[in-house]
Amino acid sequence: MDVERIRQDFPVLSRRVQDNKPLVYLDNAATSQKPQQVIDKIAEYYSRYNANVHRGIHTLSEEATDAYELAREKVADFINAESERNIVFTKGTTESINLVANAWGRKFLEPGDEILISYMEHHSNIVPWHIIARDTGAEIKGIELTKAGHLDLGQFESLLSDKTKIVAVTQMSNVLGTINPIRKIADLAHEYGARVLVDGAQGAAHSPTDIQEFDCDFYAFSGHKMCGPTGVGILYGKYEALESMNPFLGGGEMIEDVYLDSSTYKEPPWKFEAGTPNIAQCIVLGYAIDYLQDIGMEKILAHESDLMNYTMRRMNYFEDVHVYGPLGKRGGIVSFTMDGTHPHDIATIIDQEGVAIRAGHHCAQPLMRKLGIGSSARISIYFYNTTDEIDIFFQSLNKVREIFGNVTERAV
């Protein structure tokens, strides 16, 4: 994979910041950068065929509708879904999970039922379940972690029972970089008849995704973390699961017939796409998928794995730095703390060197409490990052250590 050539597709990566220093963008878990090919497609939609979808018979509306539904087909192909009718467009991962919690949970959860979520979830896969549990009388139970930062599968099995109605877990932790064994989790949950929702916000963008191999019932992810625009997300659902659910929102093209005292609804996925959808974002997500597939998801995974191995080897030189999560196979995320230095100070000083990282609780406060910390600094990589950029990050980290007097003999 020619990373230097690929970087030329991303205008923002050529920026210089902070007194003319080259930008090093290592905050990809929050959002990815966009290639010029994707940026151009946004302008093309608004300048050539801007119109509402599914409701006009004029040329522009038909062109927009065709492009919108073509994007759905591209998403289905990208994750190997059974059909494009398994794909619901939403605003993002958060809305996708809220859709399931409300449209499935309000219909099927009862007092005494149990919802299993893990301690490594981010808030978007916790709070919707809090709300639905409060409203239905269901109970939330937590899947513990091992000391190495993996899901404790033994404890998970011990939680499963006939009361378990849904298991909601992340594909990859946005703090630990842990990659969870989704198929094993799904197989165990299905033995008890439970549904399985997978939060793929940190998964689909970084590796080939085969939703049929996962055998999960629901899979949620966002377009903006995979070179697409903000404001578009995807909910995959097994069709019989989507069919069984009530609508999440009402109005617009989700209806079939409306009377003054009742209404009927279209079939999935349109049943869940009320009002005017994010047309431009959905269409352009399709072009972002084209871009990723032209590079090849296997190549993206291999490059990120090499870069992460390089990063972890260099991290080991720092005696005063504490890395959280598995030391072996992991996704492209490294969260860490440094003795005597607040993560916000780390991020602020590093930013002065042109390096963008994240610091805070990463919308994962239950996990922070488990780790015994209030916050951490986090770097997160994508396929356009290089070892040279990782080197700049470590040079910047050394400046943090010099400022706070933490220099040790093993410093790089």
Side-chain angles (χ1 to χ4, degrees):
M1 194 168 81
D2 188 347
V3 178
E4 290 303 326
R5 196 214 62 74
I6 287 172
R7 287 177 62 84
Q8 295 173 14
D9 292 336
F10 293 80
V12 74
L13 297 182
S14 63
R15 272 201 65 185
R16 303 186 78 84
V17 296
Q18 302 287 2
D19 294 330
N20 207 31
K21 295 184 177 68
L23 170 69
V24 176
Y25 186 77
L26 297 174
D27 192 20
N28 295 286
T31 195
S32 72
Q33 297 301 337
K34 323 302 177 193
Q36 189 64 52
Q37 293 90 328
V38 167
I39 297 169
D40 289 344
K41 291 299 180 182
I42 295 174
E44 181 180 279
Y45 167 75
Y46 284 114
S47 60
R48 288 187 55 80
Y49 58 104
N50 172 45
N52 216 322
V53 293
H54 296 145
R55 62 189 68 176
I57 57 172
H58 55 79
T59 300
L60 295 189
S61 180
E62 289 180 352
E63 288 180 357
T65 300
D66 288 347
Y68 182 83
E69 292 302 329
L70 177 60
R72 197 190 309 275
E73 293 176 18
K74 290 178 179 178
V75 172
D77 177 69
F78 185 64
I79 63 172
N80 193 31
E82 297 91 332
S83 161
E84 65 273 15
R85 298 186 71 179
N86 300 92
I87 305 301
V88 179
F89 284 127
T90 66
K91 290 190 296 186
T93 302
T94 299
E95 184 173 276
S96 295
I97 296 172
N98 273 274
L99 193 162
V100 175
N102 282 274
W104 178 87
R106 290 190 188 282
K107 184 171 182 180
F108 294 107
L109 291 176
E110 298 177 345
D113 289 342
E114 294 177 353
I115 302 164
L116 303 190
I117 58 178
S118 85
Y119 279 94
M120 69 171 70
E121 304 309 313
H122 71 151
H123 296 165
S124 291
N125 198 25
I126 297 176
V127 178
W129 302 112
H130 288 173
I131 295 170
I132 210 67
R134 179 199 64 195
D135 292 351
T136 62
E139 181 181 356
I140 292 174
K141 293 197 169 183
I143 306 169
E144 296 282 354
L145 310 183
T146 67
K147 289 183 178 178
H150 297 288
L151 282 185
D152 186 337
L153 292 178
Q155 189 261 352
F156 168 58
E157 284 193 68
S158 73
L159 290 175
L160 288 167
S161 74
D162 292 338
K163 295 180 180 177
T164 309
K165 299 305 177 187
I166 191 163
V167 177
V169 294
T170 185
Q171 182 181 356
M172 186 175 98
S173 167
N174 72 325
V175 175
L176 305 174
T178 305
I179 300 171
N180 286 322
I182 297 302
R183 180 56 187 257
K184 185 172 182 61
I185 292 168
D187 285 347
L188 289 169
H190 288 157
E191 287 181 15
Y192 292 86
R195 295 287 190 185
V196 175
L197 179 144
V198 176
D199 172 0
Q202 301 297 340
H206 301 279
S207 61
T209 301
D210 186 339
I211 206 72
Q212 296 187 65
E213 173 56 29
F214 284 170
D215 197 30
C216 55
D217 299 278
F218 304 105
Y219 185 81
F221 60 110
S222 295
H224 72 94
K225 296 180 192 288
M226 47 187 284
C227 297
T230 55
V232 57
I234 299 93
L235 172 67
Y236 159 88
K238 287 183 176 175
Y239 197 76
E240 51 87 16
L242 294 176
E243 250 186 337
S244 71
M245 293 156 53
N246 290 330
F248 177 37
L249 300 170
E253 287 300 300
M254 53 79 68
I255 62 95
E256 185 178 62
D257 286 306
V258 175
Y259 303 90
L260 194 60
D261 58 352
S262 65
S263 53
T264 58
Y265 315 114
K266 286 184 176 174
E267 296 175 339
W270 303 283
K271 180 169 72 173
F272 301 105
E273 296 178 4
T276 296
N278 295 336
I279 301 167
Q281 292 88 339
C282 295
I283 291 172
V284 175
L285 172 62
Y287 288 105
I289 287 174
D290 291 343
Y291 183 84
L292 293 174
Q293 290 188 318
D294 284 346
I295 295 172
M297 295 305 296
E298 290 284 359
K299 291 179 180 177
I300 288 173
L301 175 62
H303 175 69
E304 292 183 18
S305 296
D306 290 344
L307 209 52
M308 186 48 47
N309 291 336
Y310 179 77
T311 304
M312 292 295 284
R313 283 198 302 272
R314 294 209 60 180
M315 275 287 188
N316 289 334
Y317 282 96
F318 291 85
E319 293 178 334
D320 53 354
V321 169
H322 309 280
V323 174
Y324 300 92
L327 295 178
K329 183 181 177 182
R330 61 189 295 159
I333 288 174
V334 181
S335 293
F336 64 95
T337 54
M338 178 182 285
D339 291 342
T341 310
H342 194 282
H344 285 178
D345 291 330
I346 296 172
T348 300
I349 294 169
I350 283 179
D351 178 60
Q352 297 302 307
E353 302 302 316
V355 182
I357 69 167
R358 181 59 63 94
H361 56 58
H362 313 300
C363 298
Q365 288 180 322
L367 176 56
M368 292 289 128
R369 295 188 186 98
K370 278 286 179 187
L371 297 174
I373 56 178
S375 61
S376 70
R378 180 187 74 184
I379 64 170
S380 52
I381 62 171
Y382 208 14
F383 59 89
Y384 43 64
N385 290 126
T386 66
T387 53
D388 288 345
E389 290 184 310
I390 298 299
D391 290 341
I392 293 173
F393 160 74
F394 280 110
Q395 291 165 13
S396 304
L397 194 60
N398 260 338
K399 294 201 173 187
V400 177
R401 301 167 73 245
E402 290 168 4
I403 290 171
F404 285 90
N406 292 341
V407 177
T408 65
E409 292 182 356
R410 293 180 61 190
V412 292

